[in-house]
């Protein structure tokens, strides 16, 4: 079987080294006929986020904080079983892991600067409300006899 080539780029020049990725294969449910009973096509990719040296410390801390709910002892795992071939499931799992880490290590968005509503816009809104109120008051019907 062909082994996929690493490393997998997260962002910029930072990438995951193949040596730090732990692959596990098992039988997968789903389509495949008799073939599904004989091959280990489901892939589980594990990466020890807490112990890695591949990520800058700032990124690592950010990822550990954001992925805290998904980590088990500092290890993140991604599963893939939608394809019939193990090779394609390996590719999918690797892409998912890199996308997950890229999102988790992204810098936080810039804080929103509060802006004031221009006075003219506010005055126009109040003027239109007053006009609408007058229109509705005119529909009262008390003057009709």
């Amino acid at each position: 079987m062909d082994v996929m080539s690493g490393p997998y780029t997260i962002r910029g020049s930072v990438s995951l080294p193949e040596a730090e990725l732990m692959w596990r294969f098992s039988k997968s449910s789903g389509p495949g006929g008799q073939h599904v009973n004989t091959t280990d096509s489901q892939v589980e990719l594990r990466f020890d986020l807490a112990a890695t040296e591949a990520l800058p410390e700032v990124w690592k801390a950010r990822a550990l904080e954001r992925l805290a709910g998904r980590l088990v002892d500092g290890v993140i795992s991604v599963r893939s079983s939608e394809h019939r071939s193990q090779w394609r499931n390996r590719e999918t799992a690797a892409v998912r892991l890199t996308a997950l880490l890229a999102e988790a290590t992204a810098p936080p968005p810039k804080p929103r600067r509060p802006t004031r509503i221009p006075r003219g816009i506010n005055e126009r809104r109040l003027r239109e409300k007053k006009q609408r109120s007058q229109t509705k008051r005119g529909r009262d019907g008390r003057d009709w006899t």
Side-chain angles (χ1 to χ4, degrees):
M1 167 153 276
D2 251 1
V3 177
M4 274 183 52
S5 61
Y8 305 103
T9 305
I10 295 177
R11 192 168 58 250
S13 61
V14 178
S15 57
L16 295 177
E18 181 72 39
E20 291 189 24
L21 300 178
M22 297 166 276
W23 300 91
R24 201 164 83 193
F25 309 102
S26 57
K27 291 187 179 9
S28 176
S29 62
Q34 294 169 342
H35 174 76
V36 83
N37 301 324
T38 58
T39 46
D40 293 338
S41 59
Q42 178 172 283
V43 173
E44 183 181 1
L45 174 58
R46 295 163 51 90
F47 177 67
D48 194 346
L49 186 58
T52 188
E53 296 294 321
L55 299 176
E57 283 303 313
V58 178
W59 287 22
K60 192 161 123 177
R62 207 180 285 155
L64 284 168
E65 182 185 328
R66 291 182 183 169
L67 298 173
R70 288 192 62 160
L71 296 175
V72 178
D73 296 328
V75 177
I76 187 159
S77 81
V78 175
R79 270 206 173 128
S80 176
S81 62
E82 54 263 15
H83 302 291
R84 286 175 60 172
S85 81
Q86 186 189 96
W87 184 79
R88 286 184 64 194
N89 280 330
R90 282 177 68 125
E91 267 188 348
T92 305
V95 166
R96 266 195 214 146
L97 180 66
T98 53
L100 191 68
L101 287 173
E103 191 178 324
T105 58
K110 288 182 178 152
R112 182 187 169 278
R113 270 183 48 214
T115 56
R116 288 189 52 202
I117 298 171
R119 190 172 52 185
I121 290 177
N122 211 17
E123 286 174 356
R124 187 178 66 202
R125 180 182 64 88
L126 293 173
R127 198 169 46 246
E128 286 170 0
K129 278 180 69 155
K130 197 166 279 185
Q131 198 172 1
R132 187 86 180 129
S133 162
Q134 294 293 333
T135 305
K136 289 187 172 189
R137 195 172 293 141
R139 296 180 188 153
D140 208 357
R142 279 183 286 178
D143 298 341
W144 297 5
T145 44

